[in-house]
């Protein structure tokens, strides 16, 4: 799967695509170390994150832009465990994720099947 198809699956419709490209432009304005950190976190979210909308990436870039402006070291942002940081960060977006929608779809289908005498 090429990156544009992956991006479409992760971020959705045209409105979200516009938000995605704005996020990418903002990321390019970060100092190199912060940009490298965001690249790594973005990759993790693209592969293992909740999916859904561009909101998670916008909030991530907000955090790193503010941290760069304040001179907060990257280690202070993500702590000792970057995986724990991004997993905790991503939990705030589970409600709007494709996983949540699929869980609901499965639950609804099973309830329908049980109601049909199964």
């Amino acid at each position: 799967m090429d990156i544009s198809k992956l991006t479409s699956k992760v971020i959705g419709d045209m409105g979200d695509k516009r938000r995605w490209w704005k996020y990418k432009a903002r990321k390019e304005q970060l100092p190199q170390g912060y940009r490298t950190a965001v690249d790594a976190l973005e990759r993790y979210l693209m592969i293992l994150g909740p999916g859904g909308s561009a909101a998670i990436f916008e909030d991530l870039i907000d955090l790193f832009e503010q941290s760069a402006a304040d001179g907060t070291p990257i280690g202070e942002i993500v702590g000792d465990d970057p995986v724990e940081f991004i997993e905790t960060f991503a939990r705030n977006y589970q409600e709007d994720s494709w996983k949540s929608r699929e869980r609901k779809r499965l639950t609804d289908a099973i309830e329908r099947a049980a109601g049909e005498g199964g």
Side-chain angles (χ1 to χ4, degrees), residues 44-102:
Y44 187 90
L45 288 171
M46 292 289 267
I47 295 169
L48 298 172
S53 71
I56 191 169
F57 298 102
E58 291 169 331
D59 291 347
L60 183 67
I61 201 70
D62 286 345
L63 172 63
F64 274 81
E65 284 173 337
Q66 187 61 52
S67 297
D70 293 343
T72 305
I74 294 165
E76 284 186 31
I77 301 168
V78 301
D80 293 333
D81 186 350
V83 173
E84 182 181 335
F85 164 80
I86 199 62
E87 288 288 329
T88 300
F89 188 87
R91 264 187 230 116
N92 295 318
Y93 302 88
Q94 294 296 327
E95 193 68 30
D96 189 32
S97 76
W98 63 270
K99 291 177 188 176
S100 293
R101 290 189 299 272
E102 288 304 316

Side-chain angles (χ1 to χ4, degrees), residues 1-12 17 46:
M1 174 179 293
D2 70 19
I3 193 68
S4 63
K5 287 182 182 176
L6 177 61
T7 301
S8 292
K9 284 188 125 179
V10 171
I11 63 171
K17 287 179 185 175
M46 292 289 267

